[in-house]
């Protein structure tokens, strides 16, 4: 039986879980309790389910291996070997950006070259490729939102494989096919660009001499025109003469001239000496029934 002794600095002791302090001189060793065994002597993996449980467990592990990376983390379905970077600092020169990204992604073994351009459409963006999807997925998780030159990098998986990946994994022949297809898609997208189509329509109209369609300009209603010395008279009854209008407007001081429009009998222009005299006549005669029935409309003339 093991001797129980108090623990002191001079005594080397071994503390067992939920047990007393034992002396190191004791030769007895604590053995783990025996595991229950089935008839064949194997230890069940699933709480005593036996071999059927082993097969089920192995099947689940195999299924998980199809969607998990080397580190056990699940890889998204849209994952590929190339990452698409956005929100890069546009003020930094392209060679510096490429060198910085190469150093930033160095632990994940990036495949060179890193793709970045200075044109307007690709400004602030870049593409970085990796040897496999797992490396790209790990790099995405670690580098997303990393503050580079004062701006947080936005990282996502690219929509398709890059040239360097196709060339590495599928060979030269497939790479040439991929390159031709990529250039055709690029031309189609540019051809169907709405801004490009609009510019081409304008150019074609200029070459044929046809004026491009313009939006109709909205005119200010007559009632809101700025004051001036000429009044515009509308809705005159049929047969109205210059003398009829003179009898109505001459009672107001400052009348200068009355002009009828020969091509349109229901309108006329009445001019006064100044804006103030025209305003007095307008306020007094708007909706006046010159024939006792029809209201005429009096507004400032449009200049």
């Amino acid at each position: 039986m093991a001797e129980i002794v108090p623990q002191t600095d001079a005594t080397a002791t071994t503390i067992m879980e939920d047990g007393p302090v034992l002396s190191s001189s004791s030769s007895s060793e604590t053995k783990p309790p025996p595991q229950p065994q089935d008839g064949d002597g194997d230890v069940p993996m699933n709480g005593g389910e036996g071999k059927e449980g082993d097969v089920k467990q192995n099947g689940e592990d195999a299924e998980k291996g199809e969607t998990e990376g080397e580190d056990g983390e699940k890889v998204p379905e849209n994952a590929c070997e190339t990452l698409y970077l956005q929100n890069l600092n546009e003020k930094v020169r392209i060679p510096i950006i490429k060198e910085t990204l190469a150093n930033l992604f160095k632990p994940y073994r990036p495949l060179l070259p890193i793709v970045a351009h200075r044109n307007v459409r690709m400004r602030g963006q870049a593409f970085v490729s990796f040897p496999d999807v797992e490396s790209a997925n790990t790099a995405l998780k670690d580098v997303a939102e990393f503050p580079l030159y004062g701006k947080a990098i936005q990282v996502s998986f690219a929509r398709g494989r890059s040239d360097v990946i196709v060339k590495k994994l599928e060979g030269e022949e497939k790479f040439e096919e991929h390159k031709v297809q990529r250039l055709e898609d690029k031309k189609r997208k540019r051809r169907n660009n709405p801004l490009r189509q609009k510019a081409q329509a304008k150019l074609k109209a200029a070459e044929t001499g046809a004026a491009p369609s313009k939006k109709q300009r909205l005119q200010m209603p007559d009632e809101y025109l700025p004051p001036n010395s000429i009044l515009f008279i509308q809705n005159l009854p049929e047969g109205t003469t210059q003398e009829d209008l003179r009898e109505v407007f001459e009672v107001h001081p400052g009348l200068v001239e009355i002009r009828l429009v020969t091509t349109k009998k229901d309108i006329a222009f009445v001019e006064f000496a100044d804006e103030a005299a025209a305003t007095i006549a307008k306020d007094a005669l708007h909706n006046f029934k010159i024939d006792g029935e029809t209201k005429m409309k009096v507004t400032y003339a449009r200049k």
Side-chain angles (χ1 to χ4, degrees):
M1 181 175 180
E3 179 182 0
I4 302 176
V5 297
Q7 182 178 358
T8 63
D9 296 339
T11 305
T13 60
T14 303
I15 301 176
M16 305 301 293
E17 293 182 359
D18 300 331
V21 179
L22 302 180
S23 172
S24 61
S25 62
S26 175
S27 60
S28 60
E29 296 180 358
T30 303
K31 297 182 180 180
Q35 298 290 337
Q37 299 181 353
D38 56 10
D40 296 333
D42 296 331
V43 180
M45 299 296 293
N46 284 323
E49 292 183 4
K51 292 184 178 180
E52 293 182 358
D54 295 346
V55 174
K56 182 177 180 181
Q57 179 71 25
N58 293 336
E60 292 177 355
D61 292 342
E63 292 179 358
K64 289 183 179 179
E66 294 177 359
T67 58
E68 294 181 355
E70 296 178 355
D71 56 355
E73 296 184 358
K74 291 185 177 181
V75 178
E77 294 181 358
N78 66 332
C80 68
E81 299 89 346
T82 303
L83 296 183
Y84 172 49
L85 312 183
Q86 294 175 279
N87 199 40
L88 301 177
N89 195 322
E90 301 175 6
K91 297 180 180 180
V92 182
R93 293 188 297 114
I94 294 298
I96 302 299
I97 281 287
K98 289 183 177 182
E99 182 180 356
T100 305
L101 291 177
N103 293 330
L104 178 63
F105 287 102
K106 189 174 182 179
Y108 314 100
R109 301 171 296 143
L111 300 178
L112 301 180
I114 293 174
V115 179
H117 301 286
R118 65 177 63 190
N119 58 58
V120 176
R121 191 173 64 87
M122 290 296 298
R123 191 175 299 167
Q125 306 167 63
F127 293 90
V128 184
S129 298
F130 299 88
D132 49 61
V133 176
E134 290 75 15
S135 299
N137 186 48
T138 304
L140 184 148
K141 293 181 178 180
D142 293 348
V143 179
E145 301 298 329
F146 181 83
L148 184 64
Y149 296 115
K151 300 184 71 174
I153 307 177
Q154 298 178 7
V155 189
S156 61
F157 289 108
R159 294 181 181 178
R161 284 181 165 181
S162 64
D163 290 354
V164 65
I165 290 296
V166 175
K167 191 172 183 179
K168 175 182 174 62
L169 300 181
E170 300 184 12
E172 288 288 343
E173 184 176 351
K174 289 290 184 181
F175 168 68
E176 293 299 329
E177 296 178 2
H178 165 79
K179 189 175 181 180
V180 171
Q181 183 64 37
R182 179 173 60 80
L183 293 177
E184 289 179 356
D185 293 342
K186 186 176 181 180
K187 290 180 180 179
R188 185 178 66 255
K189 289 179 181 179
R190 288 186 176 181
R191 185 169 58 249
N192 297 334
N193 188 300
L195 296 177
R196 182 183 180 88
Q197 292 177 348
K198 186 176 180 180
Q200 289 179 344
K202 287 184 178 180
L203 182 61
K204 187 176 180 180
E207 292 177 352
T208 58
S213 58
K214 295 182 179 179
K215 293 182 178 179
Q216 186 178 2
R217 295 179 60 185
L218 298 177
Q219 290 188 344
M220 184 181 297
D222 297 337
E223 292 82 356
Y224 300 101
L225 291 173
N228 61 83
S229 60
I230 301 176
L231 299 179
F232 180 42
I233 317 301
Q234 303 177 70
N235 200 32
L236 293 174
E238 186 177 356
T240 302
T241 64
Q242 190 172 10
E243 293 302 324
D244 295 334
L245 291 175
R246 185 174 298 277
E247 289 179 4
V248 174
F249 283 92
E250 68 181 357
V251 297
H252 299 284
L255 178 62
V256 175
E257 183 183 7
I258 297 175
R259 298 189 298 272
L260 296 177
V261 179
T262 56
T263 57
K264 198 169 183 181
K265 303 295 185 179
D266 62 339
I267 64 174
F269 293 92
V270 179
E271 183 176 356
F272 282 83
D274 52 40
E275 178 184 310
T279 301
I280 294 173
K282 170 185 172 296
D283 295 340
L285 297 175
H286 180 60
N287 289 332
F288 177 77
K289 296 179 180 179
I290 194 170
D291 62 351
E293 296 180 0
T294 306
K295 293 181 180 180
M296 64 179 183
K297 182 178 179 181
V298 182
T299 61
Y300 295 111
R302 192 182 302 273
K303 288 189 174 181

